[in-house]
Amino acid sequence: MAGRAQIPTSNSALIAMIADEDTVTGFLMAGVGNVDLRRKTNYLIVDSKTTVKAIEDTFKDYTTREDIAIILISQYVANMIRFLVDSYNKPVTAILEIPSKDHPYDPAHDSVLSRVKYLFSAESVASGRR
């Protein structure tokens, strides 16, 4: 279909993770982890020593890699690079914010949820409904 973003299908597309150690470990145990021939992984474990620059660079890398279809990012990590997460507007790679063990989920900070609310409010105004 014309105009739609295509996910590469030569191999299956990957899910990437940017989160704390416990969250990443859980997903790795579920089989999400991948290391390619160049030793590049599809996950970043964020701890107290991880710099915001490292998180930004990893986010930019994952959003430009053709083998990654979804990025799962802990919401507290997304808050560290909120300007990047909020400005990202491509359909593929999809960005999903998830809670972590030590940081509860706050729907007010979720970029996807805020976009959905905006779209529904724009549609209701455009159609004359309130």
Side-chain angles (χ1 to χ4, degrees):
M1 297 185 186
R4 287 199 171 183
Q6 296 295 316
I7 298 173
T9 56
S10 60
N11 293 326
S12 54
L14 299 173
I15 297 174
M17 294 282 310
I18 304 174
D20 60 277
E21 185 175 14
D22 290 341
T23 304
V24 171
T25 300
F27 278 93
L28 291 177
M29 290 175 63
V32 171
N34 184 63
V35 180
D36 66 13
L37 295 174
R38 297 180 310 253
R39 308 288 298 159
K40 290 182 80 173
T41 63
N42 65 328
Y43 58 88
L44 173 68
I45 296 174
V46 177
D47 59 18
S48 60
K49 298 175 193 152
T50 308
T51 64
V52 173
K53 174 85 168 110
I55 298 168
E56 290 174 4
D57 292 344
T58 300
F59 181 84
K60 289 175 185 176
D61 177 46
Y62 290 170
T63 55
T64 57
R65 282 177 50 179
E66 293 183 7
D67 62 335
I68 294 178
I70 300 170
I71 297 174
L72 300 177
I73 184 168
S74 289
Q75 191 175 52
Y76 85 94
V77 176
N79 287 338
M80 294 180 196
I81 58 166
R82 179 59 57 198
F83 64 98
L84 280 176
V85 174
D86 287 348
S87 65
Y88 186 80
N89 60 6
K90 296 178 183 171
V92 176
T93 303
I95 311 300
L96 299 176
E97 295 180 32
I98 60 173
S100 65
K101 185 171 78 172
D102 298 328
H103 301 88
Y105 174 77
D106 181 6
H109 290 265
D110 191 327
S111 60
V112 172
L113 189 58
S114 65
R115 288 178 188 169
V116 169
K117 284 180 182 178
Y118 173 77
L119 287 174
F120 277 116
S121 65
E123 284 179 7
S124 63
V125 169
S127 66
R129 288 181 275 156
R130 293 211 175 208

